[in-house]
Amino acid sequence: GQSLEQPSEVTAVEGAIVQINCTYQTSGFYGLSWYQQHDGGAPTFLSYNALDGLEETGRFSSFLSRSDSYGYLLLQELQMKDSASYFCAVGNDYKLSFGAGTTVTVRA
Amino acid sequence: KAGVTQTPRYLIKTRGQQVTLSCSPISGHRSVSWYQQTPGQGLQFLFEYFSETQRNKGNFPGRFSGRQFSNSRSEMNVSTLELGDSALYLCASYDGTGDGELFFGEGSRLTVL
């Protein structure tokens, strides 16, 4: 099976940088994905790492190290609208195993 | 392009009843997968359909079933509802490009009393 661990909560102020770590145990997967979900709404895709290294998408960056079974999502220049739950996920294209989620609270 | 549409958005059922949820994927997406989200278990994969065929199934009892139609619309059914089936049921469509992106709908929130 696959298990993923990520912190349950993170709090930061506007403009700050937050890093959400994700460690996983899996027998094989295509890549590491990150999703954002506001208040139980639709999860929205943020980033995907198929290969080791850093992927940058605007204020968000994601990193993967397969040798360390580790990845992270970096949120820069935090805004109030970034307050949400963030999930890491591994799997194949359509079958994903998700972490329990990290609730990010941004304070003014 | 319209997003993933799920109906109904909210529903309340009692134990022992059955429920059918519907999902219309993004136009052109042939893969539809279903996930159950609960506070205790998080997001868990139920099953996936592609071209009317179930390609993969998660660890759920046989009470959970689904199907896909020729227009890629999908339905999932839960029979003999239990209290523990109360959850947000999310549908996701996938375009097959291998870019890791699933497009989720807003979900159907089921409450079992």
Side-chain angles (χ1 to χ4, degrees):
Chain A
Q2 296 164 331
S3 67
L4 298 92
E5 290 192 11
Q6 52 182 126
S8 58
E9 294 181 9
V10 173
T11 301
V13 297
E14 271 187 302
I17 298 173
V18 159
Q19 180 172 316
I20 303 172
N21 297 322
C22 175
T23 57
Y24 57 84
Q25 293 182 343
T26 179
S27 56
F29 65 100
Y30 290 10
L32 177 69
S33 304
W34 290 91
Y35 286 82
Q36 178 193 63
Q37 186 180 38
H38 283 98
D39 292 332
T44 56
F45 173 82
L46 291 176
S47 189
Y48 177 68
N49 292 75
L51 304 174
D52 283 8
L54 189 68
E55 291 285 340
E56 297 178 274
T57 310
R59 295 186 297 114
F60 297 165
S61 302
S62 60
F63 174 83
L64 173 64
S65 170
R66 289 178 183 263
S67 60
D68 295 319
S69 297
Y70 164 77
Y72 67 74
L73 178 70
L74 195 69
L75 289 67
Q76 299 176 289
E77 300 172 21
L78 274 179
Q79 302 176 8
M80 298 298 287
K81 67 178 180 179
D82 298 330
S83 291
S85 293
Y86 293 82
F87 299 87
C88 58
V90 297
N92 67 15
D93 294 324
Y94 57 80
K95 181 182 179 182
L96 299 180
S97 294
F98 284 84
T102 300
T103 301
V104 173
T105 302
V106 182
R107 294 183 172 171
Chain B
K1 186 182 279 192
V4 178
T5 304
Q6 291 189 245
T7 58
R9 291 291 315 280
Y10 302 91
L11 66 167
I12 300 174
K13 294 286 187 178
T14 57
R15 280 179 297 177
Q17 288 187 310
Q18 75 162 9
V19 65
T20 299
L21 310 177
S22 179
C23 171
S24 293
I26 291 172
S27 176
H29 290 195
R30 296 164 65 188
S31 168
V32 174
S33 51
W34 289 88
Y35 289 81
Q36 181 197 63
Q37 186 174 26
T38 60
Q41 298 297 319
L43 278 145
Q44 293 187 291
F45 174 80
L46 282 157
F47 31 64
E48 186 262 358
Y49 288 87
F50 179 85
S51 292
E52 302 178 66
T53 300
Q54 186 183 88
R55 290 197 294 188
N56 218 320
K57 183 172 166 55
N59 266 344
F60 281 84
R63 301 184 296 106
F64 292 81
S65 62
R67 59 178 176 169
Q68 187 180 35
F69 303 95
S70 58
N71 62 358
S72 293
R73 189 178 70 86
S74 177
E75 289 182 346
M76 68 163 283
N77 182 276
V78 188
S79 62
T80 319
L81 283 166
E82 300 177 0
L83 295 180
D85 297 333
S86 294
L88 180 66
Y89 290 89
L90 292 160
C91 165
S93 76
Y94 171 61
D95 60 9
T97 58
D99 63 358
E101 181 171 5
L102 293 184
F103 296 83
F104 283 89
E106 295 283 344
S108 294
R109 186 166 295 280
L110 170 65
T111 301
V112 181
L113 302 176

